[in-house]
Structures are given as C-alpha cells and as structure tokens.
Amino acid sequence: MALKNSENYQYEKAVERNIGLCSEVEQALLQNAVIGIAGVGAVGDNNLITLARMGTGDFKIADPNIFEEVNLQRHAGAFISSLNRSKVEVMSAMVADINPSAEVELYSEGINEKNIDSFLAGVDVVLDGIDAFQIGPRRLLYKKAREKGVYVIFSGPIAYGATLQIFDPRGMSFEKYFSIRDEMSRAEQIAVFLLGIAPKLLTKNKMDESRIDFEKEKGPALASTVALSTGVVTSALLKILLNREPPKCIPHAFYLDPYHWNFVHTNRRPLRFRWLQKFVINLCFKRFPSLKRLHLSESLNKL
C-alpha cells in the first residue's frame, strides 16, 4: 500500500532509538524476521503494532473477524472508522503506516487445516493471539508449529495481570502440558487450558465471574492487561530472534499481576492421573456454570 510521505521513509532513522538496547547487527535480524500472528484480536493486534514500531520485518496475520464496537475498549486497531471492517485488512494498513518496508501477508479466513502449512511456511516465531475460547484452532496451531520446529509464544491477559508461556518445538508439547485428549469435550479442553495458564483460576480473585460466559464466548478484560501481555510477549520474542540466550520455556511459565504486586513462577507438570484431572475439571465446572452448561450441551448433542 502506497502511503503519503512513505517515499521519504528511512528505516534506520525510524528505529535509531532501538540502538543501544539492540546493536545494528541485531536490528538487522529484526528487520529480516518473519513473524506469524494467529489472531489479531486484543492481544494479537497490539503485538503486531508493537513489533512494527520495533522495526520487525515481515508478518503473516490470520483472523476471520471484523472490528465491532465492543473492541474499542482494548484493540489497537479498533476505531470508529474501522468498525465493520476486516481486522487483518485494518491491521495491515496500520503496519504500512508505521513501517512501509514491512510486508504483511493476510489470512482473512483465520487458520485452518487447509492453510496452516502456508501460514507457517518461512516464519521464525509464531504468536498465539487466538481467542481463549477457540481451542480447536489453537491445538492445530501448536501441533503444526511443533512439526515445523517453530517456537510459539502465548500470553493471556487475566484479571489484572498477564501470563507468559513459551513452547519450544523440541520441548514439552501443548497437548502434554495441558493434558488435552481428543476424547475430551470442547468444554473440558477449555477448562484444562485455562487451568494451565492461570495458576489461581480456582482461588478467590477480584474478577466478577458471573461476567464470564463460555457459551457466548466473552469475558472481562482491561486494556491495561492487554498492554502488559504485549510487553511480555514482545520481550520474549526479542530474546529468541536475537539469539542472546535460550528462553525459559514450558513447563516453566509465569503470571505477573502488578495491581496486586504479585509474581507467580510456575513449573507445572501434567496431571498424571485421569481421575485427578476429572476432579479438577469438575471444580472448574462448579466455579463457572456457563462452562458446565457448554459441556452438558455438547454431551447431549452427541447422543
């Protein structure tokens, strides 16, 4: 996309304030990197814009949705002018307006079995920005990224904090870490995923849990915690792309909550016994009635 004044754009001038924290050689590594972002919702689109400002080279972005009024509260690409427009198209134009030297490949249908290989081809790192309720596409992403030897970075903005999980393709798999099995219902898979990323999900917190609706796929989130997620993801990505030191990967993870001055480092191991996993899932269903209703609805549909 040709933009006014883009002909005067100078990459070196635009990123010169990076130098000192990155060397010129490291900045060149960023410029030549290709980042896949699956989902450009609240976390994904903020990651994309931050990386564009850092001078990261090219992107592949996937999302089937349009911007809606509810997105104005926390999405980087949500403006009155962008409502009802494709998220990937809006975000591609924003990247071009920041760094016209970057190329952005769009997957307006999201990721699926037909395009996942194309989406992952040539990418250096993948960022998981898929909606927390969409467990099927997420499982597909991690499975294929692992096969292709690509790191996947995830951060969930939860309550007043954010998580960080990095999956090394040579380390523990997504399925093993979360103890997800094919025979589990979608609701059960969502439950173990959320329990795996949020170390205090079943303890008392400041979130009004009645506002979490798994059937309608919505829950409370703050722009401040989305920004926090963006900070931890892009910092982790920087370490991987610049080859400075090995990142701390799954089973290690953390949850950072600056509001309550709380940092939780986890070294979580998969649940070895299915009866124990079932017990924990039932606790989750008890805590979140809409998740239990989703599970029961799925069970009835199978009959």
Side-chain angles (χ1 to χ4, degrees), residues 197-209:
I197 64 172
K200 294 189 175 182
L201 185 67
L202 296 181
T203 61
K204 190 66 177 176
N205 56 55
K206 299 292 184 180
M207 186 186 298
D208 182 352
E209 292 163 3

Side-chain angles (χ1 to χ4, degrees), residues 14-30:
V15 300
E16 69 177 5
R17 296 291 292 271
N18 288 357
I19 307 306
L21 294 169
C22 301
S23 69
E24 286 83 353
V25 171
E26 289 175 327
Q27 189 63 51
L29 292 175
L30 288 180

Side-chain angles (χ1 to χ4, degrees), residues 14-300:
V15 300
E16 69 177 5
R17 296 291 292 271
N18 288 357
I19 307 306
L21 294 169
C22 301
S23 69
E24 286 83 353
V25 171
E26 289 175 327
Q27 189 63 51
L29 292 175
L30 288 180
Q31 185 178 15
N32 290 300
V34 179
I35 308 301
I37 304 181
V40 286
V43 173
D45 67 357
N46 276 276
N47 287 337
L48 175 63
I49 293 305
T50 299
L51 291 172
R53 294 194 185 281
M54 290 168 64
T56 306
D58 298 331
F59 301 95
K60 294 186 176 186
I61 60 175
D63 199 300
N65 298 316
I66 61 172
F67 281 113
E68 301 175 273
E69 195 167 6
V70 68
N71 302 144
L72 292 168
Q73 172 250 9
R74 66 199 185 284
H75 289 233
F79 300 90
I80 298 299
S81 60
S82 64
L83 296 183
N84 300 314
R85 294 174 57 195
S86 162
K87 287 184 178 180
V88 292
E89 291 179 6
V90 169
M91 298 313 301
S92 176
M94 290 182 69
V95 170
D97 211 6
I98 295 167
N99 177 7
S101 67
E103 294 184 4
V104 184
E105 188 174 335
L106 311 185
Y107 290 77
S108 58
E109 66 277 26
I111 59 166
N112 54 49
E113 291 279 2
K114 293 181 179 180
N115 67 18
I116 187 65
D117 290 319
S118 172
F119 176 77
L120 291 173
V123 302
D124 296 295
V125 180
V126 172
L127 305 186
D128 173 8
I130 299 171
D131 189 284
F133 305 102
Q134 297 299 314
I135 194 68
R138 176 167 277 116
R139 291 182 66 189
L140 174 65
L141 176 70
Y142 282 84
K143 176 185 176 182
K144 289 293 186 176
R146 183 177 179 84
E147 290 175 1
K148 297 180 183 300
V150 178
Y151 280 96
V152 183
I153 306 176
F154 170 81
S155 175
I158 299 174
Y160 298 96
T163 73
L164 179 65
Q165 283 87 11
I166 306 173
F167 284 83
D168 184 334
R170 300 156 298 183
M172 187 180 293
S173 71
F174 178 87
E175 309 283 349
K176 184 175 181 179
Y177 179 70
F178 292 106
S179 302
I180 292 178
R181 304 186 309 277
D182 290 337
E183 63 268 25
M184 297 169 70
S185 71
R186 176 169 168 262
E188 289 174 322
Q189 292 180 30
I190 292 173
V192 295
F193 171 68
L194 293 178
L195 288 167
I197 64 172
K200 294 189 175 182
L201 185 67
L202 296 181
T203 61
K204 190 66 177 176
N205 56 55
K206 299 292 184 180
M207 186 186 298
D208 182 352
E209 292 163 3
S210 68
R211 295 288 184 175
I212 304 175
D213 192 327
F214 289 90
E215 294 168 294
K216 296 181 179 179
E217 301 187 353
K218 66 178 183 179
L222 293 170
S224 56
T225 56
V226 169
L228 186 62
S229 282
T230 297
V232 299
V233 165
T234 52
S235 295
L237 178 68
L238 193 70
K239 180 180 288 190
I240 293 172
L241 290 180
L242 301 186
N243 301 310
R244 289 180 172 176
E245 60 182 88
K248 210 169 190 66
C249 298
I250 292 298
H252 294 279
F254 70 68
Y255 176 72
L256 173 64
D257 179 355
Y259 182 88
H260 295 103
W261 207 258
N262 189 25
F263 177 85
V264 180
H265 166 243
T266 61
N267 185 6
R268 182 179 182 271
R269 299 296 173 177
L271 294 174
R272 294 177 57 191
F273 304 106
R274 293 192 179 185
W275 66 264
L276 179 58
Q277 184 184 57
K278 194 72 175 178
F279 174 75
V280 174
I281 289 173
N282 286 334
L283 286 179
C284 197
F285 285 168
K286 184 177 181 180
R287 187 68 175 268
F288 303 101
S290 66
L291 187 59
K292 183 176 182 179
R293 290 194 299 270
L294 179 63
H295 173 66
L296 293 175
S297 175
E298 290 179 275
S299 299
L300 289 173

